[in-house]
Amino acid sequence: MRQKMAIQRYTSCFKTISSASLSKWKEIPAAVIADCMNRTNVMSSRISPVARGMKLLGQARTVDCFVGDNSASHVAVSMLKPGEILVIDAKAHLDTAAWGGIMTLAAIKQKAGGVVIDGAVRDVAELCELGLPIFSAGTVPKGPSKGFGGVIDGIISCGDCAVKPGDLIIGDDDGISVVQLDKEEQLLKSALKKLDDAMDKCAQEHDKMIDKVKNSKRKAKSPPSCGCKTYLLHLEKATKLNKPERCSKLGCSNTARVGAHIFNF
């Protein structure tokens, strides 16, 4: 006798983040967002992209699975709206794949923004070819069962991080940051300011380096009075190479100073 699956679904009603705000979030790395949240709301390092370069951004829909079972995920995929991220708590179980090629095709059909699963996946080559951003805790060829059910759109723990339906999920090569929906607007302002401050700091460091190079050239000594005509040539070469360039003139032992460096010829 076949057992009926027990799949429970909570009513999920959350504010949709505007496309204008999402376009701004696209420019912000997960690491910067983590810094703005005081290094909290970040998934464990075991959650990483299936392939380098994968990025995801969107609001979460959640699934709580039984170990080794993906029946609830199959149902949840059919409920996804375009751009949403399916976040699955598969209990960090790595000996059974709870996601693979067939489900990825179903998610693409729903125009999903990506998948995050605290568990294993399979069909990795196919997943990479299909291109849907997928983050997982590992890979294994063994497939799942479908008979125990699970919970859809409840509060879950994925990668040791709490996730609610509607939370903003940001993923890149560094991993996953989770922005709580009620703090999204505030954190967006903080993250954009942090990026602007970082750009200003880089510009200041660049200007300091340019000034240092210019000052280094102004401090260079004039050619020595020994009559060594190759001094300037060697000084220029030494400056470019940032190392001593000895004079070819026999018996010439003059010292050239370039910035903080002394070159003996």
Side-chain angles (χ1 to χ4, degrees), residues 212 215-220 239 256-263:
K212 185 176 180 181
N215 291 334
S216 175
K217 291 182 178 179
R218 282 196 292 268
K219 291 178 181 178
T239 303
R257 182 183 295 275
V258 180
H261 302 282
I262 297 176
F263 299 111

Side-chain angles (χ1 to χ4, degrees), residues 68 70 93-100 117 120-122 140-145:
N70 71 347
H93 180 64
L94 300 181
D95 292 333
T96 305
W99 190 272
I117 177 169
V121 300
R122 66 177 182 175
V140 70
K142 180 183 175 183
S145 60

Side-chain angles (χ1 to χ4, degrees), residues 198-216:
M199 291 296 291
D200 290 342
K201 186 176 181 180
C202 287
Q204 291 173 6
E205 292 297 325
H206 175 73
D207 291 342
K208 288 180 182 179
M209 182 61 67
I210 295 298
D211 291 340
K212 185 176 180 181
V213 172
K214 289 180 178 178
N215 291 334
S216 175

Side-chain angles (χ1 to χ4, degrees), residues 29 37 47 88-89 172 178 198 203 210 238 256:
M37 297 187 295
I47 309 297
I88 305 168
D89 176 12
D172 55 30
V178 180
I210 295 298

Side-chain angles (χ1 to χ4, degrees), residues 90-146:
K91 306 298 181 288
H93 180 64
L94 300 181
D95 292 333
T96 305
W99 190 272
I102 293 175
M103 296 186 71
T104 299
L105 289 170
I108 291 173
K109 184 178 179 180
Q110 295 295 117
K111 299 181 180 179
V115 177
V116 181
I117 177 169
D118 194 354
V121 300
R122 66 177 182 175
D123 308 323
V124 175
E126 184 181 359
L127 302 188
C128 293
E129 184 178 348
L130 290 171
L132 182 71
I134 297 174
F135 287 63
S136 72
T139 61
V140 70
K142 180 183 175 183
S145 60
K146 298 173 179 63

Side-chain angles (χ1 to χ4, degrees), residues 117-193:
I117 177 169
D118 194 354
V121 300
R122 66 177 182 175
D123 308 323
V124 175
E126 184 181 359
L127 302 188
C128 293
E129 184 178 348
L130 290 171
L132 182 71
I134 297 174
F135 287 63
S136 72
T139 61
V140 70
K142 180 183 175 183
S145 60
K146 298 173 179 63
F148 298 103
V151 179
I152 299 172
D153 284 336
I155 299 175
I156 66 169
S157 173
C158 185
D160 305 326
C161 181
V163 182
K164 303 187 301 294
D167 286 347
L168 183 62
I169 310 297
I170 300 99
D172 55 30
D173 285 336
D174 287 336
I176 300 287
S177 291
V178 180
V179 176
Q180 295 174 3
L181 183 56
D182 59 349
K183 298 178 181 177
E184 179 265 332
E185 293 181 3
Q186 174 189 344
L187 283 169
L188 177 58
K189 293 177 182 178
S190 299
L192 290 174
K193 184 179 184 302

